[in-house]
Structure formats: structure tokens, C-alpha cells
Amino acid sequence: MTTAAQTSELVTREVARRRTFAIISHPDAGKTTLTEKTLLYAGAIELAGAVRGKKAQRHAVSDWMDIERERGISITSAALEFELSGRLVTLLDTPGHRDFSEDTYRTLLAVDSVVMVIDAAKGIESQTRKLFEVARQRHLPMLTFVNKLDLPARDPLELLDEIERVLGVAAVPMNWPIGTGDRFRGVYDLQQDTVSLYERAGGARPAPVEMTSADDPALIALVGEARRSELLEAVQLLGAAGTRFDRAAYLAGRQTAVFFGSALSNFGLEPFLAALVDLAPPPQPRESEGGWVDPASVDFSGFIFKIQANMNPRHRDRVAFLRVCSGVLTKDMLVTNARLDTPVRLSRPSRFFGRDRETVETAYPGDVVGLVNPGRFAIGDTLYAGPRVRFPRIPHFPAEFFGALRLRDVKFKQFDEGIRQLEEEGLMQVVFPIYGKREPILGVVGALQFDIVEARMKNEYGVVCQVDKLPHTSARWIGEGAPTSLKLPQGVLETVDRDERRVLLFQSDWELQYTQRENPRLELLAVA
């Protein structure tokens, strides 16, 4: 067998055992808790401690920033890699807060499937709907975990109907809850006709599970004849009128497999995790400018979907997160950056578990590795070895909030370095006024990002600064060939970005429409 054939066989085998997915949800639906419990059941951690847990408990593995720990929210995507039932799983934990939707969007470009977490009492919420639409655009297969069944919850049939009605996707229950709230006792497996009964033993360790059947007298003793009859009626109804699971429809994103449980109490996690490794697809082909790229190809390719500064504050490092799409990445290999058309040596590729990292010798399609970034990588860059490959660029969300960042001490060098690195991460867009003092103006998708900028500038760069919010609500880049002199309303702010491209900031739609009307030769672009 030739070396190329051996490599192809190796890559094919490694692709088949990989699962790369993200979890999406509305804030407080239980995404971070489900992440922790997935790691617990995979044996990746010994004791789960949710962010909102007791003070003595540790914080979520995926929430590694100081401000994430202080506020109890995820504000940055984290990469977590672990073994689960013989599969190598990469979980990209995403921010749940709507103000960080751009980071979530980039992350969803790097996965092959998603898990949607829904609060059993609240159903489909606004952020869930927005993130689902992003997943739908990419035709990502989706598993749904209806969470918090150990608390007062809505009727399961009502929740299934809402998923179908609001999201427009067929919802197929894979199991069924036995009771809700303080009477939640377990789940009925609709595929295997078995019952999993749970003990309330706390959520720090896996919950004891007892497998039985619907005819077991122990089930009647536990839940009562009336509740058992309700369960059997629901099962018969679903069998007669419910949609049956179709793997092809799931893989095409037209159908979602639904599981019920409680991540906090560890109820219903086993069947959900079993389905995750069984149903979720391995790495899939990726569209590039030259056609589809097969993950089993022997030629390496991948793209940068995230950049993070100061994961190791001692070294002021910058890490570029690369999704491997095809071939084999090896330590010290020489690749080409398609944007710069220049060679780059990948000297220390690393795997991550939250903030912890280790250098790896090889990585395969589906893997996410961190690369030391001395300023040569940008979000959306394609790296390849062999025939030229370039994956589609990653677009920016238009900023909706603007503020002037003002230095409150004399650390000018650290101030400039911090702004540049946080901008490189994609945390904010930065422009500078053409007239007056050249203070940086930040554009962000959500106002909470201003607080994050202030906190990170202080904690990571030792710089005290303040964001003074501006009344502007949108930015437009000026296209090529525009006249130098423009007729603008008084409230429009003229700025330039780092590449000296002209950018107009508007306070209202009226200002934007007036500018377009009075300057007919002017082309205004929402994205640079």
C-alpha cells in the first residue's frame, strides 16, 4: 500500500470517529450546566460545579475568563475535547447572551451539528429562535434537549407543538418524561420501550439509574397507577399520530430529535449522550471557492474562526482557533495562508480544554486546534497545504451600539495594544474620527460588550479606560469612487478604520436615507 493510500485510510478512519458540535440556547436555559454534565458523564471531569452553584464549588470549565466567573455567563466561545463512548468529541461552548451573537455565529460555522437546549417552562425564547435560524442557514443537524423537567414545566406535547410551529422543523420525541417538577421520576425510551428511573442524589456526580419496563410493578409503586396510565396513553398517541424519526431528515436539518430531562439533576442525560455520539454526523464536506472539500482528502486545509488574546495572561499570547477541514495537520508543517499568499509554519498546535492546553503532534478533520498568532492570522483565514483552497470569508454583523473609548491613565502603549488585539478578536469594530481628537470609537453588536472591553482592558492590559456611549446606531463604509466632499446631516460622524477607509456613523435611519438621497453617486456598505 502506498503512503498516499495509507494516509487516506488513516484520515477516513479518524474522520469517522469524530463529532464536532456546539450547544445553543437562550440565556438561563441550562446550556452551561449541560456542558458541565456532558464532561462529567464522559469522565473528563470528576465533579460538576455549575456557575450558579455554591461558592465552594468551582466554576464551569468552559467559563475561564474572570468576568465570566463574576457574572455567571458565557461571553466567549471555548473549545473542549474529550472521549465519549469511543468517539472523539469536540464541543465548542458558545455564548448564550444575545450581545455575543457574532461570536456564536462564527462558532456555528466550525461545527457539524448542534444541540438546542430549551427551558421546559419557557419553551422557545427569542435568542433560541435567532440561533436556530443561523443553524438552519447552514443546514446543521440538531438534537434538542428539553431541560429543567425537575421544575414546574409545560405539557410536553405543547412544547413539541411549539418547536414545530415556531421553528418550522419536525420535532420527534425520542423519550418521554414520567412526571414533571417534584414528581419527575424518569424517562420512557420510545425507541427501546424501556423506562429509566432516577434517584434524586444531587447533580455533582452521575445519578443512579434503574432500567425497567412499563409493566414493572415497581413503576406503579413509584409513580402510581394514574400517572403510569397517563404515560401509556401518551406513548400510544405518539405511536399513532407522532412523526417517526428519519435519520436522513435529521441530517438535512428538517427534523430534530427531542430528549427530555434535567441537566442539573442528571435526569435523562444517558439517552441524550448516547444519541449524540450515534446520531450526530462526523465531519462533513466543506464548500470552498473551488468546490467542495472532502474531509477524507489527504491534502490539509482548515480555517480560522476565532482569535483569543491573553488565554495565558503571563505570556500575553494570542491564539487563533483553527477548524481542520481535510487531511492531516502535523506539528511544524508548512502551510499557506490563502489571504496573504504566504507560507506559515505551524510550530506548536495545541488542543484545548477550556483554558488548559497541550501541544499535539497531529490533528484530523473535525479537530479544533489553537495556533500561536503573532499577528499573521485573521478571522476567516484559510490555511492549506497542497492544491490551493480558500473557504468563504466570515462576514461581520453590523454594529448597533457605538462609544468613544477614553483612556483614564497614561499607559498609551498598553492602551493601543489592547484595542488592537481585542479588535483582532472580533470583539468590536474600531474607527477613528477624521476631525478632532483621534480617540478610538468602538462599534459593537450588544451594549454589554462595552463592559467587557473596559473589564478586559483593566484585567489583561492594566489600563483604566471608559466607554462613553454615542447616540449613533449604524455604520456604513464608503465605496470606491465616492466624491471627497459629501452633503451630510449635522449628526453624521465621519471616521476612518485602520485601513484608512472612510466610515460614516448615523444616529437614525432618516440620516442614512438623507445622505443617500443627497449624494446619488455615493455607495454605502454595511460591511467592510
Side-chain angles (χ1 to χ4, degrees):
M1 184 180 292
T2 65
T3 302
Q6 290 175 327
T7 301
S8 177
E9 182 179 313
L10 173 64
V11 174
T12 299
R13 185 168 64 249
E14 291 297 331
V15 167
R17 67 184 293 262
R18 278 163 167 75
R19 303 291 184 269
T20 303
F21 76 101
I23 302 179
I24 62 174
S25 77
H26 192 84
D28 296 325
K31 175 184 64 65
T32 300
T33 303
L34 183 60
T35 299
E36 285 277 291
K37 298 310 176 69
T38 299
L39 301 178
L40 174 68
Y41 275 72
I45 59 177
E46 295 180 355
L47 188 70
V51 168
R52 296 183 181 276
K54 299 176 182 178
K55 292 183 179 179
Q57 290 179 318
R58 59 187 194 78
H59 297 272
V61 171
S62 55
D63 291 337
W64 54 268
M65 282 187 178
D66 290 338
I67 193 167
E68 290 179 303
R69 299 167 187 261
E70 292 165 5
R71 298 194 179 211
I73 58 172
S74 298
I75 63 172
T76 181
S77 299
L80 303 163
E81 184 179 289
F82 52 91
E83 292 272 351
L84 181 63
S85 301
R87 300 285 190 263
L88 185 62
V89 178
T90 298
L91 166 57
L92 298 182
D93 183 41
T94 62
H97 199 284
R98 62 183 175 83
D99 283 6
F100 300 93
S101 54
E102 186 164 2
D103 197 30
T104 301
Y105 176 78
R106 296 183 195 125
T107 300
L108 291 180
L109 293 175
V111 300
D112 299 296
S113 66
V114 296
V115 169
M116 178 171 64
V117 182
I118 295 175
D119 187 316
K122 299 177 181 177
I124 303 296
E125 299 177 83
S126 58
Q127 184 68 358
T128 311
R129 189 160 48 244
K130 292 177 184 177
L131 295 173
F132 173 82
E133 288 302 327
V134 175
R136 188 210 295 273
Q137 291 171 13
R138 290 210 53 232
H139 306 289
L140 290 172
M142 178 179 295
L143 298 178
T144 297
F145 188 78
V146 180
N147 194 24
K148 302 185 181 181
L149 265 295
D150 56 336
L151 300 174
R154 290 164 56 184
D155 180 82
L157 286 172
E158 181 184 334
L159 290 168
L160 292 178
D161 178 69
E162 184 175 58
I163 292 173
E164 297 192 340
R165 177 170 42 83
V166 175
L167 301 182
V169 60
V172 182
M174 307 298 281
N175 60 18
W176 202 251
I178 303 174
T180 60
D182 59 3
R183 290 187 289 183
F184 181 47
R185 294 293 181 267
V187 293
Y188 181 90
D189 190 319
L190 293 165
Q191 312 300 308
Q192 304 296 327
D193 292 325
T194 57
V195 174
S196 298
L197 302 177
Y198 298 92
E199 297 179 16
R200 292 180 178 272
R205 292 181 173 85
V209 180
E210 180 182 348
M211 301 296 293
T212 184
S213 67
D215 298 325
D216 191 337
L219 178 62
I220 301 175
L222 182 64
V223 303
E225 180 59 42
R227 192 164 297 278
R228 174 179 170 275
S229 297
E230 290 177 7
L231 170 65
L232 295 179
E233 287 176 8
V235 170
Q236 291 173 358
L237 175 63
L238 292 168
T243 303
R244 296 196 176 277
F245 179 72
D246 183 325
R247 192 183 187 101
Y250 157 73
L251 292 174
R254 300 191 305 270
Q255 189 182 91
T256 179
V258 182
F259 295 82
F260 293 88
S262 167
L264 188 63
S265 301
N266 299 342
F267 285 10
L269 290 182
E270 293 94 339
F272 162 72
L273 294 176
L276 179 63
V277 296
D278 180 49
L279 299 179
Q284 298 296 293
R286 292 265 165 175
E287 188 174 10
S288 73
E289 293 181 354
W292 291 90
V293 175
D294 186 348
S297 168
V298 296
D299 296 311
F300 164 78
S301 68
F303 65 93
I304 305 294
F305 68 93
K306 175 182 175 58
I307 292 176
Q308 184 70 54
N310 304 318
M311 292 192 72
N312 186 339
R314 294 180 182 178
H315 300 290
R316 291 274 183 250
D317 64 342
R318 285 179 287 171
V319 176
F321 285 82
L322 173 84
R323 155 71 193 236
V324 181
C325 297
S326 66
V328 185
L329 180 153
T330 58
K331 181 182 175 183
D332 292 323
M333 76 182 299
L334 197 65
V335 302
T336 300
N337 184 326
R339 175 177 60 89
L340 302 176
D341 198 25
T342 57
V344 181
R345 187 168 298 279
L346 306 182
S347 57
R348 295 197 311 275
S350 301
R351 284 200 179 97
F352 285 86
F353 191 75
R355 183 181 235 160
D356 299 331
R357 70 181 83 175
E358 64 177 5
T359 301
V360 297
E361 298 296 326
T362 57
Y364 297 91
D367 289 347
V368 171
V369 299
L371 306 174
V372 175
N373 180 26
R376 301 183 67 182
F377 300 133
I379 291 173
D381 279 358
T382 296
L383 306 183
Y384 67 92
R388 178 178 172 82
V389 176
R390 187 160 189 174
F391 296 106
R393 66 187 294 271
I394 299 178
H396 287 287
F397 280 26
E400 300 177 17
F401 300 87
F402 297 84
L405 186 62
R406 298 197 163 103
L407 180 62
R408 295 307 184 197
D409 56 31
V410 293
K411 298 180 179 179
F412 298 103
K413 182 178 179 181
Q414 294 92 326
F415 181 69
D416 291 340
E417 178 186 13
I419 295 170
R420 186 179 292 275
Q421 291 191 5
L422 295 183
E423 180 186 15
E424 184 182 67
E425 285 185 18
L427 180 59
M428 73 276 191
Q429 299 169 12
V430 181
V431 295
F432 302 89
I434 292 178
Y435 307 106
K437 191 174 182 180
R438 192 177 168 87
E439 288 182 321
I441 294 175
L442 313 184
V444 298
V445 175
L448 179 59
Q449 289 171 286
F450 289 142
D451 295 343
I452 304 305
V453 170
E454 291 178 357
R456 292 190 61 188
M457 289 291 286
K458 180 179 179 180
N459 296 336
E460 298 175 23
Y461 301 94
V463 176
V464 178
C465 53
Q466 176 182 320
V467 177
D468 291 340
K469 295 179 182 177
L470 299 175
H472 302 82
T473 59
S474 62
R476 293 293 185 273
W477 274 256
I478 295 179
E480 296 181 2
T484 304
S485 179
L486 299 173
K487 188 174 182 179
L488 301 172
Q490 186 174 1
V492 175
L493 184 61
E494 296 184 74
T495 69
V496 292
D497 63 14
R498 289 197 185 276
D499 296 322
E500 296 300 321
R501 293 172 297 188
R502 296 163 68 192
V503 187
L504 301 179
L505 305 186
F506 299 94
Q507 297 185 30
S508 66
D509 289 339
W510 178 87
E511 288 185 350
L512 175 58
Q513 294 165 5
Y514 177 91
T515 300
Q516 291 177 316
R517 184 172 63 251
E518 296 297 322
N519 302 274
R521 294 171 49 202
L522 180 65
E523 181 185 18
L524 296 177
L525 308 173
V527 179

